[in-house]
Amino acid sequence: DAGVTQTPRHEVAEKGQTIILKCEPVSGHNDLFWYRQTKIQGLELLSYFRSKSLMEDGGAFKDRFKAEMLNSSFSTLKIQPTEPKDSAVYLCASSRDWGGYAEQFFGPGTRLTVL
Amino acid sequence: QQQVRQSPQSLTVWEGETAILNCSYEDSTFDYFPWYHQFPGESPALLIAIRPVSNKKEDGRFTIFFNKREKKFSLHIADSQPGDSATYFCAASDYNTNTGKLTFGDGTVLTVKP
């Protein structure tokens, strides 16, 4: 089975641009998570979907970050407008619908640099 | 609010020693505690996990010790190898919320010197 895939692997944006990151979860997984990872802040949850329904939208990330899941096999994360402080690795993860005990499988991540 | 705290931030041990990584939590409803590891340039991956039905979980050289009363759990890596050098994240979740959401700690960077 294919793991979680993310595209692009690297993205360079100018301040103020709109960027869209893409994620395909493991086939059959019902939970999908978007995280931001930086050395200072660690792993921060941006959004969480269960069976395409938004369960959590990451509080502090609401204003410029929008995640969508139009079908069970594809999700996007839009950042609009981008700011230099958004430079980070964005990770997508998925897991089966086994409540709180399911293993999260992470994708390779998208490294975003905002100039 | 930091619900899962890790210590130390970084740890260096010699090859063959036991590395001990610590975590504590605040929410008494947490009842699933996984450890993920992340090698440089890679993504996090599940290493080992424990549920509070027991206070110890072993998998080869990796052991989780769990103390429910003190709300603490630790990862012991026996006979540490240079290949164990990575960042280790502890996490916690509440099964009763029926969500897959994990609360992660900030990570411990482990370096094993040959």
Side-chain angles (χ1 to χ4, degrees):
Chain A
D1 284 340
V4 177
T5 59
Q6 290 187 250
T7 56
R9 294 294 307 274
H10 302 273
E11 178 80 61
V12 178
E14 297 284 340
K15 177 182 174 181
Q17 272 188 289
T18 296
I19 62 102
I20 297 176
L21 310 181
K22 304 178 180 76
C23 173
E24 295 179 344
V26 175
S27 178
H29 282 189
N30 295 316
D31 281 357
L32 185 139
F33 307 84
W34 282 100
Y35 293 93
R36 182 171 77 175
Q37 185 174 31
T38 61
K39 286 192 174 171
I40 295 176
Q41 298 292 338
L43 279 165
E44 301 174 281
L45 180 68
L46 301 175
S47 293
Y48 164 36
F49 293 88
R50 167 160 289 180
S51 300
K52 302 185 295 180
S53 296
L54 183 63
M55 305 289 286
E56 187 160 331
D57 63 1
F61 297 95
K62 282 182 183 179
D63 57 346
R64 296 182 299 107
F65 293 72
K66 183 176 177 62
E68 292 185 315
M69 195 163 187
L70 299 180
N71 62 59
S72 61
S73 59
F74 185 71
S75 177
T76 59
L77 175 66
K78 180 191 290 187
I79 308 176
Q80 178 184 34
T82 52
E83 298 181 4
K85 65 181 179 180
D86 299 332
S87 297
V89 175
Y90 290 82
L91 293 165
C92 178
S94 69
S95 66
R96 289 190 185 277
D97 183 6
W98 284 345
Y101 297 155
E103 175 181 355
Q104 290 189 16
F105 292 83
F106 285 81
T110 295
R111 182 174 295 278
L112 173 65
T113 302
V114 182
L115 305 174
Chain B
Q1 181 184 2
Q2 180 72 355
Q3 295 188 38
V4 178
R5 298 182 189 274
Q6 274 190 256
S7 64
Q9 279 188 313
S10 63
L11 176 66
T12 299
V13 299
W14 293 101
E15 183 175 357
E17 291 185 332
T18 296
I20 300 176
L21 291 68
N22 301 298
C23 276
S24 63
Y25 61 98
E26 298 172 6
D27 192 336
S28 58
T29 64
F30 284 153
D31 60 354
Y32 172 64
F33 304 92
W35 284 87
Y36 282 72
H37 59 177
Q38 183 176 26
F39 296 101
E42 298 185 10
S43 296
L46 179 66
L47 174 62
I48 186 174
I50 192 169
R51 293 170 54 191
V53 292
S54 64
N55 56 18
K56 182 180 176 182
K57 175 76 176 290
E58 285 183 273
D59 184 358
R61 297 185 294 110
F62 302 91
T63 303
I64 299 177
F65 291 94
F66 179 76
N67 185 322
K68 186 173 182 178
R69 184 178 61 84
E70 295 187 8
K71 296 183 183 176
K72 293 181 179 178
F73 58 109
S74 60
L75 175 68
H76 292 224
I77 305 174
D79 188 25
S80 296
Q81 301 296 310
D84 295 330
S85 297
T87 300
Y88 291 79
F89 295 95
C90 63
S93 71
D94 177 359
Y95 177 74
N96 292 316
T97 64
N98 194 31
T99 76
K101 177 186 169 185
L102 289 172
T103 300
F104 284 93
D106 288 339
T108 293
V109 179
L110 174 66
T111 303
V112 181
K113 291 190 172 182

